Amino acid sequence: MENKDSVLMERYEVGRLLGQGNFAKVHHARDLKTGQSVAIKVIDKVKALKAGLTNNIKREISVMRRVKHLNVLQLYEVMASKTKIYFVIEYAKGGELFNKVAKGRLKEDAARKYFRQLINAVEFCHGKGVFHRDLKPENLLLDGNGVLKVSDFGLSALVESKCQDGLLRTTCGTPSYVAPEVIYGRGYDGMKADIWSCGVILYVMLAGYLPFHDANMIVMYRKASNADYKLPTWFAPEVCRLLSRMLDPNPVTRTTISEIMEDPWFRKKPESHSNIPREIGGEEGKGEELRKPTRLNAFDIISCSNGLNLSGLFAESNQNKEALKFVSLQSASTIMSKLEDMATHLKLQVKKRDRGLLILEASVEGRRPLSIDAEVFEFTPFCHLVELKSCGGDPKEHWPIVEKQLREDLRDIVWAWSDGRQRMNSA
Ligand code: AMP
């Protein structure tokens, strides 16, 4: 993946680097089949394992599956090689929202527009029991239509604090967007902590700078804990009221998402439509679930596997030495036709053909014929477990030769063999 324009799993042409962290690099990529742009987040498995993030990654994958919303960057699929995990994510062509803010504060209507989209995403995710815990400028991206996309919802365990320059960036290790109760480690309510961060984000969009800022971190923490911030003269009274309820240092009395959604400033219609990002279908994504991706995903494989390798899926594979198993990211029909091609090539006779099952037989002169059952099990429409096992004849003698041929003939449709060998191209 270091090389520009390498091909990943024969499916994605991987291009320029979009961003980078300690464990992850994000690349632009193009789906070779559909031509669609995607972002691929590459996580170094060894680093993630060493940092004890295995369970986090698995938990977060399962979380991401539940979160499909217009204003949340969608995770399309997860793939893995021996050393890397690849998150294939919706591509946000417009880049970070805060690059816009860095050029100057936003007009009230534009800020409200983005804020609504942010609150809609947060409300939806909270409804699914998912809290971001790390809402900050780097996580607010825009798509090609200017629609806000919250990134890393559920992946916050993987987000590292980064040293960044610039007015709107947190200085290294300064959690300018984090609620006071989180800073003081008192145990916190994820919903209320996210609301605080949204309040800071709203302030930054309207002001062009942070509400709580000081070169001395202790002073900054104290300012946040005392809600010690100044309201610029251009802030409308309604937004001042909303901010004061969001930036309430006491999480118990801090406002709720439903109260924010009822707030007069939040609900106010835009005065002009210029410079405001176009909404898709006039909707702001409220409660709207995206269509289920038709593309494959390998979430299940990784999230039910042992460690971050796939061997846990094949727990019993050692019990039958004359068997071969692999995961394929092809459709069942492609797999079945490949199995038939393989049978023809290896001069195996098809004895039975059923949905997802082929019984093949090899005539071996002077011996009982070798029978092979090939069975395809579906995880998702584009993710299958394929099992080939010898069921008759003299497998001990012939299997090693047959197995070698089978492996060769089927390699095009194999994503990972049960013995942990994973096929990767140029990755
Ligand atoms: P992350 O490691 O997720 O914080 O990503 C690092 C940087 O890569 C972000 O701050 C963005 O600038 C960029 N990036 C991440 N995900 C995407 C995406 N899906 N589309 C476009 N840019 C992205």
Side-chain angles (χ1 to χ4, degrees):
M1 289 289 286
E2 301 304 322
N3 301 334
K4 215 175 167 282
D5 298 323
S6 59
V7 174
L8 175 66
M9 308 260 180
E10 292 175 2
R11 307 225 354 259
Y12 298 100
E13 186 181 57
V14 182
R16 68 181 191 281
L17 189 69
L18 297 170
Q20 189 166 349
N22 285 339
F23 299 103
K25 282 182 178 177
V26 184
H27 286 261
H28 175 266
R30 200 172 55 84
D31 186 324
L32 287 172
K33 224 182 208 166
T34 63
Q36 188 194 8
S37 279
V38 295
I40 298 193
K41 188 167 198 164
V42 189
I43 295 166
D44 189 305
K45 239 184 198 175
V46 177
K47 280 192 191 170
L49 284 170
K50 274 192 189 149
L53 290 175
T54 309
N55 285 334
N56 287 339
I57 294 172
K58 289 202 275 183
R59 181 172 48 83
E60 305 300 0
I61 290 170
S62 84
V63 162
M64 292 295 283
R65 297 201 68 191
R66 281 183 278 153
V67 177
K68 292 196 181 86
H69 186 274
L70 178 66
N71 298 118
V72 178
L73 267 192
Q74 203 187 341
L75 180 62
Y76 293 136
E77 65 170 304
V78 180
M79 304 185 292
S81 72
K82 254 197 182 119
T83 56
K84 305 263 197 303
I85 303 167
Y86 302 93
F87 287 90
V88 182
I89 313 168
E90 184 180 356
Y91 173 54
K93 193 179 175 192
E96 293 180 26
L97 166 67
F98 277 72
N99 288 335
K100 272 187 193 288
V101 189
K103 290 182 192 145
R105 65 177 196 255
L106 300 185
K107 289 197 173 128
E108 192 179 284
D109 282 346
R112 180 177 15 246
K113 185 78 172 183
Y114 292 128
F115 180 68
R116 277 188 193 151
Q117 296 181 5
L118 170 64
I119 293 296
N120 285 336
V122 170
E123 187 228 22
F124 180 80
C125 293
H126 286 183
K128 299 261 172 191
V130 178
F131 313 109
H132 196 293
R133 296 169 296 174
D134 197 28
L135 285 167
K136 59 184 178 184
E138 293 93 317
N139 290 331
L140 303 182
L141 304 177
L142 298 174
D143 75 2
N145 294 313
V147 174
L148 183 95
K149 302 277 174 178
V150 182
S151 83
D152 285 342
F153 233 121
L155 278 176
S156 48
L158 301 176
V159 177
E160 318 79 21
S161 54
K162 296 171 203 158
C163 274
Q164 303 270 7
D165 295 315
L167 180 70
L168 296 168
R169 306 284 181 182
T170 54
T171 45
C172 187
T174 308
S176 302
Y177 293 82
V178 174
E181 69 272 18
V182 180
I183 294 169
Y184 287 102
R186 294 179 195 135
Y188 63 93
D189 172 346
M191 277 195 209
K192 292 296 181 85
D194 280 350
I195 290 171
W196 174 279
S197 306
C198 291
V200 179
I201 288 166
L202 175 59
Y203 185 105
V204 171
M205 285 195 290
L206 289 166
Y209 51 81
L210 289 159
F212 311 107
H213 187 65
D214 200 285
N216 180 328
M217 245 200 267
I218 305 293
V219 176
M220 195 210 74
Y221 290 161
R222 201 177 303 132
K223 282 183 176 172
S225 307
N226 296 330
D228 177 9
Y229 59 94
K230 292 201 167 50
L231 291 161
T233 50
W234 60 87
F235 276 24
E238 300 96 311
V239 85
C240 294
R241 272 194 291 279
L242 175 59
L243 279 168
S244 69
R245 285 162 41 222
M246 295 183 80
L247 298 177
D248 176 349
N250 181 353
V252 179
T253 49
R254 193 175 301 150
T255 193
T256 60
I257 290 286
S258 47
E259 283 168 357
I260 295 171
M261 292 178 122
E262 290 305 313
D263 182 87
W265 184 85
F266 183 91
R267 296 175 71 89
K268 197 173 164 188
K269 295 251 180 318
E271 276 160 21
S272 95
H273 287 273
S274 57
N275 297 326
I276 300 176
R278 194 163 56 81
E279 290 170 5
I280 290 178
E283 284 294 317
E284 290 181 42
K286 186 179 180 323
E288 183 190 339
E289 295 208 28
L290 291 180
R291 270 176 299 133
K292 226 176 155 202
T294 50
R295 305 192 304 139
L296 74 94
N297 66 58
F299 300 109
D300 301 309
I301 300 174
I302 292 180
S303 58
C304 71
S305 69
N306 185 8
L308 287 172
N309 73 51
L310 303 171
S311 53
L313 274 176
F314 308 102
E316 82 287 25
S317 61
N318 290 337
Q319 287 165 17
N320 184 358
K321 292 225 164 36
E322 287 78 43
L324 197 55
K325 291 186 194 182
F326 63 89
V327 171
S328 175
L329 304 184
Q330 302 292 330
S331 66
S333 59
T334 307
I335 296 169
M336 290 302 277
S337 71
K338 185 76 190 175
L339 288 170
E340 295 214 21
D341 287 353
M342 176 266 310
T344 312
H345 180 228
L346 300 183
K347 299 196 169 57
L348 298 166
Q349 249 187 313
V350 178
K351 285 282 164 193
K352 189 175 172 190
R353 188 184 281 109
D354 210 343
R355 256 179 72 90
L357 176 72
L358 272 185
I359 298 181
L360 308 167
E361 214 170 77
S363 313
V364 186
E365 219 176 303
R367 292 179 191 275
R368 279 193 301 145
L370 176 69
S371 176
I372 298 171
D373 284 6
E375 209 165 345
V376 181
F377 303 93
E378 183 182 280
F379 286 122
T380 73
F382 287 93
C383 184
H384 295 87
L385 173 68
V386 184
E387 186 176 36
L388 294 134
K389 56 177 187 249
S390 63
C391 295
D394 197 350
K396 287 225 160 36
E397 190 176 333
H398 295 290
W399 183 257
I401 305 157
V402 174
E403 183 189 347
K404 194 162 171 266
Q405 290 174 334
L406 293 176
R407 278 189 190 265
E408 275 200 29
D409 269 42
L410 297 173
R411 57 198 290 272
D412 286 356
I413 56 161
V414 173
W415 179 61
W417 292 105
S418 61
D419 50 18
R421 289 187 231 173
Q422 287 165 49
R423 277 198 74 238
M424 283 288 303
N425 287 324
S426 322

